[in-house]
Amino acid sequence: MSFPIHRYRRLRANAGILRMVRETSLSTDDLIEPMFVCEGKGVRQEISSMPGIARCSLDELLKDVRETQSLGIPAIILFGIPDKKDSRGSEAYNPDGIVQRAVREVKSAFPDMVVITDVCIDEYTDHGHCGLVEGNKILNDATLELLSKMAETHARAGADIVAPSDMMDGRVQAIRKTLDETSHEDTIILSYAAKYASGFYGPFREAADSSPKFGDRCSYQMDPGNSDESLREVFQDIEEGADIVMVKPALSYLDIIRRVRQEVQVPVAAYSVSGEYAMVKAAAERDWVDGERVMLEILLSIKRAGAQMILTYFAREAAKILNA
Ligand code: PBG
């Protein structure tokens, strides 16, 4: 491989050659758009730490979904912001809860849109934890029943995919069992398999008003120092019935995405989270970086690392550029 026989610049000579030899490219098919839905009518409440992203009431949400669909984005993931929260997160598994109603309306207006739901009670609990709480303890097994009920109400409303993000042990098995017993054997499970205890979730917690009121999530989400453990989580979730596994966050965990991709034969998703979005937006606002360019570069890096699908708040913005 020595100079002057080999000159790597030959294959960088012009745009046509670059296109021909490019190993990875981004497509709208790769994108999944997260959306926040709240009660009310005509509500479109911007999230201050996520410029361009809002919590929307159902009527407004449908307008966004129309645009998302017209841009060719195949899927959305819904997060609910209920009016009432309690210690058991009852609204999470209310068959007429905000997400359940949103799923029904989105699927009836846009049957081809793939609708994913986040299965986790933290947006619905007054303590903000992803599991039931006893004293200072987050209960694992007792939470599984609530998660299963929640997933079943989502499936019954018409969700194509349920995505447990709570990080309780055994939840994929519990959800799969409940779905199968209730004739939802075709509902897909996308598990947040390797979900790290991350500072990058900050803006999301503002959006969903879901910061834990005491303690933190370190007893259930993964330690950022661990890599082997992500494979144990992923293998276990697949064994329990996960159809798709996810790594979250994405940008600081590209090595994990890569490792998981190399080890498993199921599709791998990555969640480019709220803090990753906020950092780019904040720097671009100050003209410190070219926002569009770094957005596309980050999304491409996540795909290059091995993710076949990317959950990103940039979905529509990126799709507009990719379609142009
Ligand atoms: C939990 C959940 C969280 C996110 C997605 N699902 C928050 C958390 O674990 O605190 C974060 C997503 C983001 O930051 O964009 N329901």
Side-chain angles (χ1 to χ4, degrees):
M1 300 283 217
S2 60
F3 178 81
I5 308 268
H6 290 287
R7 288 179 180 270
Y8 295 104
R9 293 182 57 191
R10 279 184 203 128
L11 297 183
R12 297 173 200 145
N14 59 52
I17 303 279
L18 286 171
R19 277 170 55 202
M20 289 165 67
V21 301
R22 187 167 295 135
E23 297 171 39
T24 303
S25 38
L26 202 60
S27 139
T28 50
D29 291 346
D30 307 327
L31 306 172
I32 298 172
E33 181 175 340
M35 292 184 171
F36 299 100
V37 59
C38 63
E39 297 286 354
K41 246 195 155 52
V43 182
R44 183 174 287 272
Q45 203 175 29
E46 276 252 348
I47 298 148
S48 61
S49 52
M50 300 176 77
I53 306 296
R55 313 157 148 207
C56 291
S57 51
L58 245 170
D59 50 335
E60 293 292 318
L61 182 88
L62 289 170
K63 294 180 194 165
D64 285 1
V65 179
R66 179 177 303 280
E67 193 192 27
T68 301
Q69 167 144 305
S70 74
L71 287 167
I73 296 166
I76 60 168
I77 178 164
L78 292 173
F79 294 95
I81 297 137
D83 271 351
K84 301 181 302 247
K85 305 194 184 212
D86 60 29
S87 67
R88 295 181 60 81
S90 328
E91 278 302 302
Y93 39 90
N94 175 353
D96 287 313
I98 183 65
V99 162
Q100 290 82 352
R101 275 178 283 141
V103 171
R104 284 199 289 269
E105 296 219 9
V106 170
K107 284 306 284 188
S108 97
F110 308 99
D112 294 334
M113 177 58 75
V114 175
V115 174
I116 309 172
T117 56
D118 185 80
V119 175
C120 184
I121 61 175
D122 67 322
E123 294 126 67
Y124 305 87
T125 53
D126 50 15
H127 45 72
H129 275 291
C130 303
L132 285 170
V133 163
E134 195 175 82
N136 279 335
K137 241 184 119 181
I138 315 303
L139 302 178
N140 192 88
D141 299 14
T143 303
L144 301 182
E145 193 193 324
L146 305 189
L147 294 167
S148 303
K149 274 207 315 211
M150 185 178 184
E152 192 272 325
T153 60
H154 291 171
R156 186 155 24 114
D160 301 280
I161 304 180
V162 294
S165 68
D166 53 286
M167 290 301 280
M168 297 299 120
D169 288 319
R171 89 272 210 215
V172 173
Q173 182 177 60
I175 290 170
R176 184 74 271 159
K177 183 164 177 282
T178 301
L179 291 176
D180 289 354
E181 284 169 358
T182 53
S183 308
H184 302 298
E185 53 283 302
D186 292 328
T187 305
I188 297 164
I189 299 181
L190 185 170
S191 84
Y192 289 66
K195 177 175 178 178
Y196 286 87
S198 171
F200 287 100
Y201 306 148
F204 174 96
R205 292 181 189 170
E206 180 205 331
D209 183 23
S210 64
S211 290
K213 301 291 176 290
F214 69 89
D216 55 36
R217 303 212 201 290
C218 294
S219 77
Y220 42 106
Q221 298 181 347
M222 284 180 58
D223 185 325
N226 294 353
S227 172
D228 292 346
E229 188 188 0
S230 71
L231 296 183
R232 295 201 291 274
E233 283 280 5
V234 161
F235 286 138
Q236 174 148 337
D237 281 4
I238 294 172
E239 217 171 274
E240 290 183 17
D243 301 286
I244 304 171
V245 291
M246 180 145 75
V247 175
K248 178 187 175 187
L251 193 52
S252 296
Y253 298 85
L254 294 177
D255 57 323
I256 307 295
I257 296 172
R258 178 56 149 205
R259 251 189 116 179
V260 169
R261 169 72 279 151
Q262 283 173 331
E263 295 290 335
V264 307
Q265 269 89 47
V266 301
V268 175
Y271 198 146
S272 184
V273 300
S274 57
E276 298 175 40
Y277 177 85
M279 285 196 306
V280 173
K281 284 290 174 191
E285 249 171 41
R286 290 163 182 72
D287 271 327
W288 289 352
V289 296
D290 175 340
E292 271 188 12
R293 189 170 169 189
V294 301
M295 161 185 78
L296 293 173
E297 192 172 332
I298 288 172
L299 295 174
L300 184 67
S301 74
I302 296 167
K303 185 160 182 203
R304 195 186 61 233
Q308 280 119 307
M309 43 195 112
I310 308 172
L311 286 73
T312 172
Y313 301 96
F314 283 119
R316 264 182 279 167
E317 219 177 312
K320 281 175 194 159
I321 298 169
L322 295 171
N323 291 337

